[in-house]
Amino acid sequence: DTFAILHLPRVEGMTKSKYIAGLEVFEEIKAFLFTLEFPALFVAFFPEDTLTHKLVKKLGFMPLGEHEGLAVYILKNEESPQWVQ
């Protein structure tokens, strides 16, 4: 299977301008990868990183589970044949 993993750095201070700029870049990356028909984006982060957790939820990712001590979240490409029934 082909998949895409989004690397998010540890969030240590989020200003409104950084959030808006990051959101624009994220939307471009998501649109690009979903146009290439990736079925989902994944992100993993340390569970104690509460700011990254907040950001991941705001971006629309849903919890998938845990792997090697990291919280793993998924954002499905709802138009992917893998998810359309």
Side-chain angles (χ1 to χ4, degrees), residues 26-44:
F26 170 74
E27 290 298 332
E28 290 174 5
I29 292 169
K30 181 176 84 169
F32 174 71
L33 292 172
F34 285 2
T35 299
L36 294 176
E37 299 181 356
F38 279 85
L41 291 174
F42 297 88
V43 65

Side-chain angles (χ1 to χ4, degrees), residues 1-3 37-40 42 74 76-85:
D1 287 337
T2 303
F3 56 92
E37 299 181 356
F38 279 85
F42 297 88
I74 184 172
K76 293 180 181 179
N77 176 355
E78 297 297 338
E79 295 178 13
S80 171
Q82 183 170 339
W83 310 116
V84 176
Q85 294 182 4

Side-chain angles (χ1 to χ4, degrees), residues 10-11 45-53 66 69-71:
R10 187 176 293 268
V11 177
F45 57 92
F46 293 103
E48 63 273 9
D49 188 349
T50 56
L51 288 176
T52 300
H53 182 239
E66 206 171 285
L70 298 173

Side-chain angles (χ1 to χ4, degrees), residues 39-43 56 60-64 72-76 83:
L41 291 174
F42 297 88
V43 65
V56 164
F61 285 84
M62 301 298 292
L64 186 61
V72 180
Y73 278 60
I74 184 172
L75 179 66
K76 293 180 181 179
W83 310 116

